[in-house]
């Protein structure tokens, strides 16, 4: 993919002096022209340099804006537990320095010649993906996340990147193929939109696939960044929501989010009264846990979806426990770009907003500790002006 | 349950002298009378006495025939990998001596006063369950295996048993509540009927739940006792069957069973050519394996059913791998009594028969070693006359 971009970009650059007259894009011409060079784009962010989980300020470069690319001046980026797992090497060895962050919002600062969906000044968001292969069947089906060639937002090999890997959103700007950019409507704040790009889509997508209907009894296990969005989205769709948490102090929030019941699972026995009661359950628990015990609250032949990704991505489950529960277990990974736009629009229109805490760049390391310690309430959003 | 049996039996015995005249059951009167006493029934079998996996001959007693019970003179019992797992303590600590065996066929030798579905001399079979609670919702739904109170055929607490636990079919006889006894039609041999009671129902039930249709592409992973029945049942229903084995020497058998293709998975890469091709997959693999790798051959949003039960019943799977495959994973446990009768009748009527090797009691220990070493072809059936 990147090779193709590179060659088409080079070709464009070499011919743009002649074709320049046809490239007028109204008021954006100056900015467009300013970035239409083969110059790398300077960026500044916070990067992991090892598996310690501590980030440090880092100056690096992005690729120049290609024909299909959008340059976004980042306004906010929020913190996902996945950022921590990946930087610490829980999902496999990493290349460092690496800038995490895949919940990114900002303003379009420049566009490539082929870009049609964005203009300079547009409010824009980037989630977990930044590139893929348009000929992949899943891409054509609007499920780009399942293409083998998909480049995820940070840590993936990306020859077009000066650092060799994709670099994420804990930074001042990002260059992304326009297909992987969504519009952020004017009636939602940047701060509140950021978490929708991963936490929102990751919970919205399986809930929509389940064909959630008003009155359905929906369980949500793990009430952190993803879980609290799952509760809010399910409530907004009319579901009767049962939230399972290990943090008793979250109960008032959970009820305020609209859940019918908050169950503090300090002992798996607490699940027993709901055995076989729920139509559907989504787990955002990002560590190993007793899947069959949690699945026991779902009706026989119901569905249990795992979206949290533990260390090594491994979930160990009791086959006999799962058999006894007669539950279909599946796992789900974010959602496609079309559906990502859909969730952003849906949440903006219906005021389904994450509960956030805005932090400065120098607070990131403390915030990560809080996320691991289950102290986040419920999404830390980094003000990119502080990088 | 057993307390109820005991009291009603005692009551019956105390009144039977007076009521005896009304208890005539034709030619079975003598046998009936002979066993209608509070005397325990002598049995002889092979039992595990520790976790070594070695069985020894053992004389023990069964409970007297209760009002709802059937006494079966066992003709054959076949060997299931579950027998080995449980006796070795792989699924938790066991009480010993314990007689394994839950694929049991024989002839009815006596019946209790309330028994209506069987008469002395009937051909009868017993599978994985011997008692439960008729008031349990799953019992009423014909899925007795999911009742919390179900007594499985061996090693379960059973106060009515003189040994305190249920004792299985590697023995000369068994006393079972009639609800848990199926008829063995006259047009199938005892030897070939025995494996249907577990291997047959365990694979038939999920295949039927999938609503298998002619032309469907069905995968079967693990071609042992269960797997070879899954292949044969799916083939008999018109499916195009892909069999996955780690034993290249089984390929000719697999093709003879009617499979379209036998894939020798000596490397997970061998699964790649079938990625996303199958409508459904059933795994009988009774050890830990890479679930997501095998599930990758199923179409997105298809179903993968695990029926093999590894040590500690644990299956570890890659949540991200499963997400990437978009597969519904479920586990299934045997099947209910109604469906157990159905699979026996179906296999008898359609000549869907297990490939068996009849052995003598003293060959059991060698046979177990062969099962663990994947050398069984494909079900060992013990001649109960040799106990």
């Amino acid at each position: 993919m990147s090779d193709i971009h590179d060659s088409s970009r080079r070709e464009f650059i070499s011919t743009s002096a002649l074709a320049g007259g046809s490239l007028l894009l109204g008021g954006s011409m100056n900015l467009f022209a300013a970035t239409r060079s083969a110059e790398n784009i300077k960026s500044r962010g916070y990067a992991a340099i090892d598996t310690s989980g501590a980030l440090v300020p880092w100056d690096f470069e992005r690729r120049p804006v290609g024909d299909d690319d959008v340059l976004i001046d980042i306004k906010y980026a929020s913190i996902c537990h996945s950022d921590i797992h990946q930087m610490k090497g829980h999902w496999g060895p990493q290349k460092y320095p690496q800038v995490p962050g895949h919940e990114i919002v900002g303003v379009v600062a420049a566009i490539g010649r082929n870009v049609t969906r964005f203009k300079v000044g547009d409010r824009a968001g980037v989630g977990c993906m930044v590139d893929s292969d348009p000929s992949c069947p899943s891409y054509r089906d609007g499920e780009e996340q399942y293409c083998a060639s998909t480049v995820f937002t940070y840590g993936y090999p990306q020859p077009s990147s000066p650092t060799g890997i994709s670099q994420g959103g804990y930074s001042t700007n990002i260059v992304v193929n326009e297909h992987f950019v969504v519009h952020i409507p004017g009636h939602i704040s940047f701060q509140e939109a950021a978490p929708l790009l991963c936490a929102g889509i990751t919970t919205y997508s399986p809930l929509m696939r389940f064909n959630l209907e008003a009155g359905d009894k929906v369980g949500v296990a793990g009430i952190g960044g993803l879980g609290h969005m799952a509760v809010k989205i399910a409530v907004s769709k009319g579901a009767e929501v049962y939230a399972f948490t290990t943090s008793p102090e979250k109960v008032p929030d959970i009820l305020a989010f609209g859940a019918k019941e908050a169950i503090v699972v300090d002992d798996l026995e607490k699940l027993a009264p709901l055995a076989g009661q729920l139509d559907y359950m989504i787990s955002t628990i990002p560590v190993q846990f007793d899947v069959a015990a949690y699945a026991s609250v779902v009706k026989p032949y119901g569905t249990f979806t795992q979206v949290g990704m533990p260390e090594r991505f491994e979930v160990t489950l009791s086959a006999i426990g799962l058999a006894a529960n007669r539950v279909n277990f599946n796992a789900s990974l974010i959602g496609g770009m079309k559906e990502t736009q859909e969730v952003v629009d849906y949440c903006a229109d219906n005021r389904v907003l994450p509960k956030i805490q805005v932090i400065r760049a120098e607070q990131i390391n403390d915030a990560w500790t809080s996320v691991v310690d289950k102290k986040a309430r419920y999404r830390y959003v980094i003000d990119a002006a502080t990088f």
Side-chain angles (χ1 to χ4, degrees), chain A:
Chain A
M1 283 304 300
S2 307
D3 287 345
I4 296 166
H5 288 167
D6 284 350
S7 66
S8 62
R9 184 166 58 243
R10 276 192 299 273
E11 191 185 335
F12 169 63
I13 291 163
S14 67
T15 58
S16 58
L18 294 171
S22 65
L23 290 170
L24 265 169
L25 284 167
S28 64
M29 181 60 193
N30 284 348
L31 250 167
F32 177 81
T35 56
R36 292 300 315 150
S37 78
E39 294 283 306
N40 282 341
I41 291 167
K42 293 190 187 311
S43 191
R44 179 172 169 82
Y46 263 54
I49 53 171
D50 54 30
T51 60
S52 67
L55 305 190
V56 295
W58 185 47
D59 292 297
F60 65 107
E61 293 190 338
R62 305 275 188 185
R63 70 167 181 242
V65 179
D67 292 350
D68 302 308
D69 288 343
V70 168
L71 169 67
I72 298 171
D73 273 347
I74 296 175
K75 296 297 181 191
Y76 293 93
S78 41
I79 294 175
C80 179
H81 204 141
S82 297
D83 302 342
I84 303 170
H85 272 318
Q86 183 161 328
M87 294 310 120
K88 289 186 173 177
H90 291 170
W91 295 341
Q94 297 300 312
K95 284 192 76 170
Y96 300 103
Q98 184 178 147
V99 176
H102 56 207
E103 295 182 340
I104 306 164
V105 289
V107 175
V108 174
I111 58 172
R113 70 182 293 180
N114 298 334
V115 170
T116 58
R117 293 176 46 245
F118 291 88
K119 60 183 191 306
V120 172
D122 278 356
R123 291 157 56 91
V126 176
C128 299
M129 301 181 275
V130 289
D131 208 349
S132 188
D133 174 4
S135 71
C136 157
S138 289
Y139 187 108
R140 293 196 305 262
D141 292 347
E143 301 196 304
E144 301 87 345
Q145 71 273 28
Y146 295 123
C147 297
S149 56
T150 292
V151 178
F152 291 89
T153 303
Y154 51 80
Y156 269 63
Q158 189 181 41
S160 67
S161 169
T163 62
I165 58 170
S166 52
Q167 299 286 1
Y170 292 15
S171 57
T172 52
N173 56 35
I174 190 165
V175 178
V176 184
N177 181 303
E178 77 160 326
H179 182 81
F180 296 90
V181 184
V182 298
H183 289 279
I184 306 295
H187 53 295
I188 184 170
S189 74
F190 276 130
Q191 299 92 307
E192 289 170 314
L196 303 179
L197 277 311
C198 173
I201 181 63
T202 299
T203 51
Y204 180 84
S205 181
L207 284 167
M208 293 306 100
R209 174 159 292 277
F210 167 62
N211 287 323
L212 180 61
E213 288 178 9
D216 281 346
K217 295 184 178 183
V218 169
V220 179
I223 312 300
L226 274 68
H228 94 293
M229 284 309 300
V231 170
K232 287 184 165 220
I233 291 167
V235 166
S236 78
K237 293 281 185 182
E240 195 173 289
V241 175
Y242 296 78
F244 302 86
T245 180
T246 53
S247 304
E249 64 278 15
K250 286 183 181 173
V251 169
D253 284 342
I254 290 168
L255 297 176
F257 299 154
K260 181 176 171 69
E261 206 174 311
I263 300 96
V264 179
V265 190
D266 46 11
D267 184 317
L268 291 176
E269 283 300 309
K270 297 290 177 65
L271 298 165
L274 283 168
Q277 300 295 305
L278 307 188
D279 295 292
Y280 176 78
M281 177 98 152
I282 182 170
S283 158
T284 75
I285 301 174
V287 293
Q288 279 273 11
F289 68 106
D290 189 331
V291 174
Y294 276 84
S296 71
V297 301
V298 179
K299 289 179 180 167
Y301 308 111
T303 296
F304 181 104
T305 301
Q306 175 69 22
V307 296
M309 291 288 164
E311 289 194 32
R312 296 184 304 282
F313 300 119
E314 279 181 5
V315 178
T316 297
L317 48 82
S318 162
I320 203 161
L322 216 66
N325 300 337
R326 285 160 291 170
V327 164
N328 288 303
F329 174 92
N330 58 30
S332 184
L333 180 67
I334 54 173
M337 292 314 303
K338 184 163 171 285
E339 203 172 30
T340 304
Q341 184 67 66
E342 185 180 311
V343 67
V344 169
D345 293 343
Y346 176 82
C347 290
D349 292 348
N350 295 280
R351 308 304 294 159
V352 179
L353 305 177
K355 190 172 168 71
I356 60 169
Q357 297 167 270
V358 176
I359 62 169
R360 298 174 56 81
E362 59 267 29
Q363 296 174 283
I364 292 174
N365 288 320
D366 289 342
W368 274 28
T369 303
S370 293
V371 169
V372 172
D373 293 346
K374 305 182 183 182
K375 292 193 161 53
R377 297 296 183 274
Y378 285 81
R379 209 57 156 179
Y380 290 111
V381 181
I382 309 158
D383 180 349
T386 63
F387 283 120

